[in-house]
Amino acid sequence: MKNVHRFIIFGLLGVFALFFLLPFYVMLVTSLKDMGEIRGGSLLALPAGLNFEAWGKAWSSACTGTDCNGLQPFFWNSMAMIIPAVAISTTLGALNGYVLTKWRFKGSELLFSFMLFGVFMPLQVVLLPMSQVLGWVGLSDSIWGLITVHVLMGLASTTLFFRNYYIGLPDELIKAAMLDGAGFFRIFVRIVLPLSTPILVVTLIWQFTNIWNDFLFGVVFSGADSKPITVGLNNLANTSSSVKEYNVDMAAAMIAALPTLLVYVVAGKYFVRGLTAGAVKG
């Protein structure tokens, strides 16, 4: 009976997995076909051969509006934005969580409660005030403006992750280090960070995925030379031409999705381990 139940559970999980992977399969096989195969064949049919011509066009020569340089410039804009944004927001979140759990001060719990509003606040609420602030400080329509927006909007989530994780670290470790003469930053770097690998992985993946896939901030706060890949993909898909090249559109979507897919393939198991190690506790 136990084996029957297990068979039913794994069978249902397999059906659900196939259902959710079907769009990915359609995107992949369509990107490897030429337009003749797409018009004359089935949507689910395998390609006759590995044809990466659509991938090359999506990367370097497809038109995104009046610009016909493909997704390449948008991809590098996203890379230039995401590396500092993820690093800064994760570092500040770790420091905030460290302070709010191991160096508590009067009003720290109230401060943390106010920070939680940032986790649940609709993103549309900040568009107008954020655009005004970026204009005042001279960061509007720039990569650094996008970095600033993503750091500020991600700070609530990263603080929540690290604060809930650090609650589980024994206070005796901090007190013993203080008795040995270690200061604030030395304790953080030498003791707390080495114990933070699970939650670091969770936060890095969370921030990378959210920032890379963001479209709203990218389309509102970017300029002509700082648009991220999500905006480029949208422009490519909506550019009118005499013949709609579905294989190029699908290849472009795959290119835009590859970094996040790669991150989850490489570090997905560490993400799950980090969550179960305390990222959603406390």
Side-chain angles (χ1 to χ4, degrees):
M1 198 58 153
K2 184 178 180 180
N3 292 333
V4 172
H5 289 163
R6 182 177 298 177
F7 176 79
I8 293 174
I9 291 173
F10 280 103
L12 288 174
L13 290 175
V15 170
F16 291 144
L18 289 175
F19 176 77
F20 283 105
L21 287 173
L22 185 60
F24 177 80
Y25 169 79
V26 172
M27 288 169 56
L28 181 60
V29 297
T30 303
S31 70
L32 297 174
K33 298 176 182 178
D34 57 32
M35 289 305 298
E37 282 187 85
I38 294 173
R39 295 191 190 97
S42 168
L43 188 67
L44 300 178
L46 289 171
L50 296 179
N51 183 359
F52 290 97
E53 182 180 348
W55 286 69
K57 185 172 182 178
W59 175 253
S60 61
S61 62
C63 292
T64 54
T66 58
D67 180 19
C68 292
N69 293 317
L71 288 183
Q72 184 176 1
F74 302 97
F75 181 90
W76 295 122
N77 284 342
S78 287
M79 292 301 295
M81 171 189 68
I82 201 167
I83 293 174
V86 171
I88 295 171
S89 60
T90 301
T91 301
L92 292 178
L95 285 169
N96 287 345
Y98 172 53
V99 170
L100 291 172
T101 55
K102 305 307 177 187
W103 297 79
R104 294 178 183 174
F105 52 89
K106 187 176 181 180
S108 60
E109 291 299 320
L110 180 62
L111 175 62
F112 177 66
S113 300
F114 279 121
M115 290 192 71
L116 284 181
F117 281 112
V119 178
F120 307 104
M121 182 173 59
L123 300 180
Q124 293 82 357
V125 172
V126 305
L127 294 182
L128 181 58
M130 188 70 75
S131 62
Q132 290 178 325
V133 171
L134 292 178
W136 292 338
V137 299
L139 292 177
S140 58
D141 298 338
S142 68
I143 293 290
W144 280 106
L146 284 173
I147 292 171
T148 303
V149 170
H150 285 298
V151 168
L152 293 176
M153 294 307 298
L155 203 54
S157 297
T158 59
T159 299
L160 173 65
F161 287 167
F162 281 101
R163 184 260 185 190
N164 287 351
Y165 183 82
Y166 287 156
I167 282 178
L169 296 183
D171 292 337
E172 289 75 13
L173 287 174
I174 309 301
K175 294 177 181 178
M178 293 173 65
L179 289 175
D180 289 337
F184 177 88
F185 285 106
R186 189 170 185 181
I187 294 173
F188 179 70
V189 173
R190 301 292 293 273
I191 297 175
V192 175
L193 274 185
L195 298 174
S196 305
T197 302
I199 195 61
L200 274 173
V201 173
V202 169
T203 308
L204 289 172
I205 294 177
W206 176 270
Q207 283 297 93
F208 185 94
T209 304
N210 283 345
I211 296 173
W212 185 271
N213 292 334
D214 170 72
F215 176 77
L216 180 63
F217 291 157
V219 75
V220 172
F221 298 121
S222 63
D225 298 325
S226 59
K227 296 185 183 300
I229 195 167
T230 49
V231 178
L233 177 62
N234 178 73
N235 293 347
L236 186 150
N238 290 319
T239 298
S240 300
S241 60
S242 57
V243 178
K244 186 62 174 176
E245 296 180 303
Y246 295 103
N247 53 349
V248 176
D249 289 349
M250 294 300 180
M254 290 296 300
I255 291 172
L258 277 179
T260 50
L261 289 173
L262 181 62
V263 166
Y264 274 106
V265 168
V266 173
K269 63 179 181 181
Y270 302 106
F271 182 81
V272 175
R273 289 177 186 175
L275 288 176
T276 57
V280 293
K281 298 178 183 177

